[in-house]
Amino acid sequence: QVFPSQDPLDRADFNAVEYINALFPTEQSLANIDEVVNKIRLKIRRLDDNIRTVVRGQTNVGQDGRQALEEAQKAIQQLFGKIKDIKDKAEKSEQMVKEITRDIKQLDHAKRHLTTSITTLNHLHMLAGGVDSLEAMTRRRQYGEVANLLQGVVNVLEHFNKYMGIPQIRQLSERVKAAQNELGQQILADFEEAFPSQGTKRTGGPSNVLRDACLVANVLDPRIKQEIIKKFIKQHLSEYLVLFQENQDVAWLDKIDRRYAWIKRQLVDYEEKYGRMFPPEWCMTERIAVEFCHVTRAELSKIMRTRAKEIEVKLLLFAIQRTTNFEGLLAKRFSGCTLADGTVKKPEVPPPSTNPFLEDETGAETDEIVIEKSDTDKPKKPKVPDNPFHGIVSKCFEPHLYVYIESQDKNLGELIDRFVADFKAQGPPKPNVDEGGAVLPSCADLFVYYKKCMVQCSQLSTGEPMIALTTIFQKYLREYAWKILSGNLPKTTSSSGGLTITSLLKEKEGSEVAKFTLEELCLICSILSTAEYCLATTQQLEEKLKEKVDASLMERINLTGEMDTFSIVISNSIQLLVQDLDAACDPALTAMSKMQWQNVEHVGDQSPYVTSVILHIKQNVPIIRDNLASTRKYFTQFCIKFANSFIPKFINHLFKCKPISMVGAEQLLLDTHSLKMVLLDLPSIGSQVVRKAPASYTKIVVKGMTRAEMILKVVMAPHEPPVVFVDNYIKLLADCSTDTFQKILDMKGLKRSEQSSMLDLFRLRLPAPPPGGDSSGSLSLSAPTPEQESSRIRKLEKLIKKRL
């Protein structure tokens, strides 16, 4: 189909019969057949005419195409001829331009060479004249003129580097070098004469000649400048080495102030006498101060090694404090630009410890380690980040900081002993239910002292002494955990003073265990809260220590062991609380197992032993909850551990109740349901604010107590027919242990012969273990969903009702 058409004859699925039927739908319409035939013939004639016209029109197409192609070929030939003409003309034009500009190029090159020659000759004239003048001025010591001239001569000489092959140029270059060497030696001799190494300094002020000589030294070899500086500073500090010799009384640490007072006077004297002699960019005042620092550091190191036994903590801290203050004064006065010269690299040590000081300053309010800030710490901290002189002298004290560390060791030992004595004298904290379990105040004191030690030590050193201090911290964290926390946990019997958690857990089931008093419960909760605070704060302490210590030593700081120790204290405290409540419930469970359940005649309210268990829970749990209000997660742990301990024990005592009558089983089922409700409500029992129990705890209680209910419902079920009884047991309990099944049969009071056949049937009815599974363990059956469980319970209830 070339063009769209609505004509039915043009359709692809044209059907002649349908078309004719459409034209003549009825017999009456056949009367118009002649008219229709005429229309179709007319249409055929028109189509023939159209086809004939189109065919005739295409007769001359081939001839027209050939004619157009010939015309195009002719046009291309003409275009090619024109392009060739243009190319020929362009080549002729280029040749003409070259002939015209040939002479201009030669003139241009000549001009460039002439200009270069003139410039070079001018430079040569300047160089030759400059060298002559330089030699003459050098002999006359006209350093002021020499300084400017020498710089110009050196600059001009640079232009002749490529002409050094010419003998005259090379000779001039050698004369310049000789003049420079002569100037250098001459200036050094002048300074030696003005400031002799031996004897006293020249009394007169600095001369203009020396001032100009310094300007010349700026242009000469840098070694000349360094030699001048070195000799001047050495001569300037020669008096210091004599006054503060090792054998002098003023050289010891207690008179360290005199050293710094002396250099302050010397710097003032230098500014007055020699301040204008040296160029400002030489920073001579700062260089003198820096060299003084290095000399002082070496001298102090030597004298402290000799008299190490005389160093006391107070004396050491006094010397460090004065030295740190002096370094801060240098930072205010000087920029530290000379510290990068030569071999002066020592002040670059402090940067790793800069950020923690800034963070400590800005983040002091949110830092849990810092309970209170010492005012004396605050002004020191800002010095370090902006102080390039930090450690330039005080580093010499670092090898002797073991005295400080030993002092802190002794102080912390006394602090722990004082904590122990205070606890014995004041007794456990008073129970305060409104505020919850109070954290022992001693732990806050301990960490405040830790903070002060850490800040002070980080200002003294961020190297090995910080590692040594960390070791001391670890030692006393462990001592605090065992002496103050674990050592004060109440014991369950007065006869055995060293009773531990392990021995508590190993006590026999029926033994009388003394119940903790209200004060003892509050003490356990207080110790638990303290341990939790210490655990969190120790983690932050580790982070702060890592921030302050050098990056290379960061990996050696690890307080994980101490955090584990506090975790053990928390675990022991929770276990004590669980053990106490568990032991209080033991007599009631023992009474339950000793009742004659086969003689129970009717089902009443909950049994007395249930009331006893609930009473103990209502006595203990609210106290524990209120005292652990600040550490809610550990109260949840207590609830979970108690449920994990009490429910298995309750089921074990349930198995001891034998034989049980139908009514007795119903009473036990009622009691079990009452206990289940109480346990589900355990986290908020006795509280005015009812909170939903954690899902993890609820899951444990529901799973454990539902098992107890299933055991009783199996006991209530008839054992005839045996197959139904065994299948119900397997479905309800999902426990394929023969021991458990044996206990169920004992509870029902079946005879041995009946039990034997029942056990054989039980073994036969057990589902086969999955291939490749562990056949040694009990069969793993999927736990029933709540819907399946409820339907099973309804079936069992119907079965019991039918029997009744």
Side-chain angles (χ1 to χ4, degrees), residues 15-221:
N15 190 322
V17 176
E18 291 179 359
Y19 183 71
I20 293 172
N21 287 336
L23 291 175
F24 306 106
T26 60
E27 292 181 4
Q28 289 77 10
S29 60
L30 290 173
N32 298 327
I33 190 169
D34 293 332
E35 184 180 349
V36 172
V37 170
N38 289 332
K39 285 182 181 178
I40 290 175
R41 284 176 179 169
L42 179 60
K43 192 171 184 180
I44 290 171
R45 280 199 299 273
R46 285 178 180 171
L47 285 173
D48 289 340
D49 293 340
N50 290 337
I51 292 169
R52 192 179 301 112
T53 304
V54 171
V55 170
R56 288 174 179 171
Q58 293 295 322
T59 303
N60 299 325
V61 168
Q63 185 177 352
D64 294 342
R66 283 191 297 273
Q67 185 178 353
L69 180 60
E70 290 174 358
E71 291 175 356
Q73 287 176 342
K74 289 179 181 178
I76 290 171
Q77 288 176 355
Q78 293 174 0
L79 180 61
F80 182 76
K82 290 179 180 179
I83 291 172
K84 188 176 180 182
D85 292 342
I86 292 171
K87 183 179 178 182
D88 293 340
K89 290 178 181 178
E91 289 176 353
K92 290 178 181 178
S93 300
E94 184 180 3
Q95 191 64 30
M96 290 173 64
V97 170
K98 283 182 179 180
E99 291 176 359
I100 294 171
T101 58
R102 184 182 296 118
D103 296 336
I104 297 175
K105 276 188 178 180
Q106 290 177 353
L107 292 173
D108 186 52
H109 288 313
K111 178 185 176 184
R112 189 180 304 118
H113 294 325
L114 185 60
T115 304
T116 304
S117 300
I118 293 171
T119 305
T120 304
L121 285 173
N122 284 335
H123 284 163
L124 182 60
H125 181 264
M126 290 167 60
L127 181 61
V131 170
D132 292 336
S133 301
L134 186 63
E135 291 172 342
M137 291 177 182
T138 301
R139 286 192 294 271
R140 292 194 298 270
R141 284 183 166 78
Q142 295 176 341
Y143 296 134
E145 292 81 0
V146 167
N148 296 325
L149 180 60
L150 180 60
Q151 184 64 56
V153 168
V154 170
N155 292 338
V156 170
L157 189 60
E158 290 178 357
H159 293 286
F160 290 93
N161 285 337
K162 53 187 175 181
Y163 303 120
M164 285 301 170
I166 302 172
Q168 290 82 356
I169 302 297
R170 187 166 59 249
Q171 184 181 1
L172 283 174
S173 174
E174 289 171 355
R175 286 177 63 190
V176 171
K177 290 179 181 178
Q180 287 178 320
N181 291 334
E182 184 181 351
L183 270 172
Q185 297 302 322
Q186 190 171 298
I187 290 171
L188 287 175
D190 291 346
F191 269 94
E192 181 65 30
E193 181 183 349
F195 304 103
S197 301
Q198 305 294 331
T200 58
K201 291 184 290 185
R202 196 174 70 171
T203 54
S207 65
N208 292 333
V209 174
L210 294 180
R211 184 183 61 192
D212 295 338
C214 292
L215 298 176
V216 175
N218 265 340
V219 186
L220 295 174
D221 189 335

Side-chain angles (χ1 to χ4, degrees), residues 214-232:
C214 292
L215 298 176
V216 175
N218 265 340
V219 186
L220 295 174
D221 189 335
R223 285 178 296 182
I224 303 296
K225 171 183 169 183
Q226 294 295 333
E227 188 68 21
I228 294 172
I229 292 172
K230 182 179 176 182
K231 285 187 175 182
F232 180 81

Side-chain angles (χ1 to χ4, degrees), residues 364-646:
E365 296 178 0
T366 58
D367 189 355
E368 288 189 20
I369 294 182
V370 189
I371 308 295
E372 58 186 18
K373 275 282 182 184
S374 172
D375 294 336
T376 57
D377 293 341
K378 292 182 181 177
K380 299 175 189 173
K381 293 177 185 174
K383 294 179 186 176
V384 180
D386 302 323
N387 187 357
F389 297 92
H390 178 69
I392 193 169
V393 179
S394 56
K395 275 287 177 182
C396 69
F397 299 110
E398 189 167 313
H400 304 277
L401 283 178
Y402 67 88
V403 178
Y404 170 77
I405 301 299
E406 289 172 358
S407 168
Q408 297 304 333
D409 188 3
K410 180 181 176 183
N411 292 342
L412 281 168
E414 293 173 355
L415 190 65
I416 295 293
D417 292 340
R418 180 166 66 82
F419 289 160
V420 174
D422 289 349
F423 193 92
K424 288 180 180 177
Q426 299 172 7
K430 301 292 175 62
N432 191 342
V433 178
D434 295 335
E435 296 182 5
V439 175
L440 296 179
S442 57
C443 76
D445 296 340
L446 179 69
F447 282 108
V448 166
Y449 191 83
Y450 271 19
K451 179 62 178 181
K452 290 178 180 177
C453 290
M454 182 177 64
V455 170
Q456 192 174 37
C457 187
S458 65
Q459 292 173 345
L460 306 181
S461 169
T462 56
E464 287 293 337
M466 282 292 283
I467 301 297
L469 185 68
T470 302
T471 305
I472 299 297
F473 284 175
Q474 290 175 295
K475 173 184 174 182
Y476 289 102
L477 283 174
R478 291 192 297 270
E479 285 206 11
Y480 186 84
W482 296 123
K483 287 186 178 180
I484 309 296
L485 301 182
S486 289
N488 288 311
L489 283 173
K491 311 298 186 266
T492 52
T493 58
S494 57
S495 60
S496 174
L499 194 61
T500 62
I501 301 297
T502 310
S503 60
L504 284 173
L505 296 176
K506 290 182 178 177
E507 287 200 23
K508 293 183 180 178
E509 233 175 82
S511 60
E512 279 297 323
V513 180
K515 196 167 182 294
F516 289 143
T517 62
L518 171 63
E519 289 76 13
E520 289 173 329
L521 287 176
C522 292
L523 173 60
I524 295 172
C525 293
S526 180
I527 288 175
L528 192 156
S529 299
T530 304
E532 192 267 342
Y533 171 83
C534 291
L535 177 64
T537 312
T538 301
Q539 186 175 358
Q540 296 176 9
L541 175 65
E542 181 184 47
E543 294 171 0
K544 287 294 178 185
L545 286 169
K546 286 184 177 180
E547 287 177 6
K548 293 187 178 295
V549 79
D550 291 342
S552 59
L553 302 175
M554 196 180 297
E555 294 300 323
R556 291 172 60 184
I557 293 180
N558 185 1
L559 303 184
T560 306
E562 288 63 43
M563 288 187 263
D564 291 344
T565 302
F566 288 117
S567 297
I568 291 171
V569 174
I570 292 171
S571 179
N572 288 354
S573 302
I574 294 174
Q575 192 60 49
L576 262 183
L577 296 172
V578 171
Q579 178 67 24
D580 178 59
L581 183 55
D582 210 19
C585 297
D586 276 350
L589 296 180
T590 305
M592 176 189 81
S593 62
K594 290 181 178 179
M595 284 181 66
Q596 301 297 320
W597 291 102
Q598 74 273 23
N599 298 330
V600 177
E601 297 179 355
H602 62 275
V603 178
D605 292 334
Q606 63 187 27
S607 302
Y609 74 88
V610 177
T611 306
S612 175
V613 170
I614 294 173
L615 178 63
H616 287 302
I617 289 175
K618 287 185 175 180
Q619 284 177 347
N620 280 30
V621 174
I623 296 172
I624 296 170
R625 181 183 59 242
D626 293 340
N627 279 279
L628 294 182
S630 58
T631 54
R632 186 75 187 177
K633 63 178 179 179
Y634 292 116
F635 174 67
T636 303
Q637 283 188 23
F638 159 76
C639 294
I640 291 173
K641 286 190 175 183
F642 174 71
N644 281 328
S645 173
F646 175 79

Side-chain angles (χ1 to χ4, degrees), residues 717-729 748 758 761 799:
H719 60 278
E720 295 289 345
V723 174
V724 175
F725 177 78
V726 171
D727 287 347
N728 279 338
Y729 169 83
K748 288 185 69 67
M758 199 72 86
L761 179 61
L799 185 66

Side-chain angles (χ1 to χ4, degrees), residues 260-284:
Y260 304 133
W262 181 88
I263 190 61
K264 289 175 188 175
R265 290 195 302 272
Q266 289 299 313
L267 292 178
V268 172
D269 182 61
Y270 166 82
E271 291 287 353
E272 291 176 355
K273 292 184 178 179
Y274 308 106
R276 296 184 180 180
M277 186 172 77
F278 296 100
E281 63 268 19
W282 284 23
C283 303
M284 284 299 291

